[in-house]
Amino acid sequence: MSIAARGGHKDVKTFALTLQNLFVSRRGLHFQFSGDEATRLALEGYLSLFSQSELFHCQVDDSGTWTIDGYGFELISPFFKNCAELRSRAIRAYVRTRDVQPQLVVDDEVFLIPEPEPATALEPEIAEEPIQEDFTPQEAFSYIKIPVTRDAATIRSAYRKASLLHHPDLGHTKREWQTFQAAYNWCLAFAARRVR
Amino acid sequence: MTHINKDVLRRELSATVPRPTRTTPAYIRRLAQQIGSLARDVMDTRLSSVALALDRFASQESVPTLLHQMPLEIILDMCFSVDPTVENYNEYCRTWRP
């Protein structure tokens, strides 16, 4: 179930997942997390969004342990706050949600993010229509060929090239360009962190 | 493999390299450096050879006078239309008319 594909980008919510048994092995990042059905679906949708990019592989086994492998593990880590402290138990994640009601867990205190307002009777057609994003990350990955590799420099240069080729001055949308630029900037920051 | 095209390069260079009133060898060298740095950044081999040839071109003692009248667009035209060797650049400049 891909929630992110259905949500509009204006619906990006931030909430914390309580992670357990988080560890990094040669096979990738493994973790379990607690949360209700809505939280589970939200994370699942988020991860499936990225797995379509072939940047990383994520799978969940019967015991509920998630495994993330590939370069995408590094790619999604900016969305996990403070990835240097992967052993911390609470990690904030950005998830797009529209159809679920996620929880916000901060220091074991649970907040329910209010549901979207129900459609009024005046505009039922508009409420029924699926939201069309002007640009989605999947689209970004279909525009350019990101090499499947663990070489950070190759990935970084691919993003840099993509941001050059998709500049608003050249007739592309600002959102496209910002997406690639943000990915490139993040790759730079990631490389800088690794050097230290 | 997608190469950086002329429009992209022109936009990038206009944003990063300030344009002097006259095209000087120093300006060409600066352009070459910028193109070379960009080529390394995006791992574009074609762009690297362009940068190398431009740099050698700028280092020549007798950079053709006509080059000084060339706008950036024409210089980039030259970079992308001729095989990037100094001799070819010389020839291009020799035959170019404003």
Side-chain angles (χ1 to χ4, degrees):
Chain A
M1 179 178 181
S2 176
I3 294 163
R6 286 188 289 145
H9 57 80
K10 288 173 185 164
D11 302 310
V12 173
K13 304 286 185 199
T14 305
F15 68 91
L17 300 167
T18 307
L19 301 186
Q20 291 121 13
N21 303 328
L22 182 72
F23 67 98
V24 182
S25 76
R26 294 181 67 179
R27 282 182 51 234
L29 170 74
H30 312 268
F31 63 89
Q32 294 175 323
F33 68 92
S34 65
D36 58 357
E37 184 72 2
T39 312
R40 191 182 65 75
L41 286 174
L43 184 67
E44 206 168 304
Y46 177 74
L47 291 177
S48 69
L49 180 77
F50 273 93
S51 60
Q52 287 169 25
S53 71
E54 298 179 351
L55 274 172
F56 74 97
H57 313 286
C58 64
Q59 56 185 25
V60 57
D61 63 13
D62 293 339
S63 66
T65 301
W66 286 78
T67 302
I68 300 179
D69 189 19
Y71 184 76
F73 156 56
E74 293 155 359
L75 185 75
I76 62 166
S77 54
F79 299 92
F80 292 104
K81 190 183 177 189
N82 201 352
C83 80
E85 297 179 7
L86 280 173
R87 287 181 181 77
S88 68
R89 295 175 68 85
I91 289 187
R92 295 171 67 82
Y94 294 90
V95 227
R96 296 153 182 253
T97 56
R98 170 162 285 269
D99 302 327
V100 297
Q101 188 179 12
Q103 283 182 338
L104 176 64
V105 183
V106 181
D107 296 336
D108 296 333
E109 196 174 350
V110 179
F111 303 92
L112 283 178
I113 294 176
E115 283 187 85
E117 291 180 11
T120 61
L122 287 176
E123 42 181 7
E125 294 87 4
I126 296 175
E128 287 302 316
E129 276 181 7
I131 292 169
Q132 293 295 324
E133 285 192 285
D134 54 346
F135 185 71
T136 62
Q138 295 104 310
E139 219 178 317
F141 292 119
S142 69
Y143 273 92
I144 56 167
K145 180 74 180 166
I146 298 283
V148 181
T149 172
R150 276 179 175 275
D151 179 21
T154 310
I155 301 279
R156 190 174 65 229
S157 69
Y159 279 126
R160 170 81 166 125
K161 191 175 265 188
S163 79
L164 283 175
L165 294 174
H166 293 85
H167 197 273
D169 288 357
L170 300 166
H172 295 271
T173 63
K174 195 175 174 189
R175 187 168 165 76
E176 273 178 272
W177 175 70
Q178 279 174 336
T179 305
F180 291 126
Q181 194 61 31
Y184 171 65
N185 288 339
W186 181 80
C187 286
L188 283 181
F190 180 76
R193 277 204 303 276
R194 277 206 153 169
V195 168
R196 263 192 274 124
Chain B
M1 182 178 184
T2 323
H3 289 294
I4 295 294
N5 63 26
K6 194 173 64 184
D7 291 338
V8 173
L9 192 61
R10 180 194 302 149
R11 200 203 60 75
E12 185 68 11
L13 292 176
S14 321
T16 50
V17 185
R19 168 90 182 161
T21 47
R22 274 177 49 130
T23 304
T24 58
Y27 172 65
I28 303 288
R29 203 171 296 123
R30 180 87 183 84
L31 276 186
Q33 279 171 2
Q34 197 63 33
I35 295 174
S37 135
L38 186 66
R40 274 193 302 279
D41 211 2
V42 300
M43 295 183 179
D44 196 323
T45 46
R46 191 181 72 168
L47 216 53
S48 297
S49 58
V50 165
L52 196 63
L54 255 191
D55 191 47
R56 286 176 53 215
F57 184 55
S59 310
Q60 286 199 122
E61 280 190 10
S62 58
V63 174
T65 321
L66 271 175
L67 184 69
H68 295 172
Q69 302 169 23
M70 281 185 178
L72 176 61
E73 286 72 21
I74 305 295
I75 294 176
L76 292 181
D77 266 344
M78 174 178 80
C79 292
F80 281 90
S81 61
V82 303
D83 189 27
T85 63
V86 175
E87 292 72 29
N88 285 344
Y89 284 177
N90 280 333
E91 181 61 21
Y92 188 95
C93 286
R94 201 177 59 76
T95 54
W96 183 75
R97 290 288 174 274

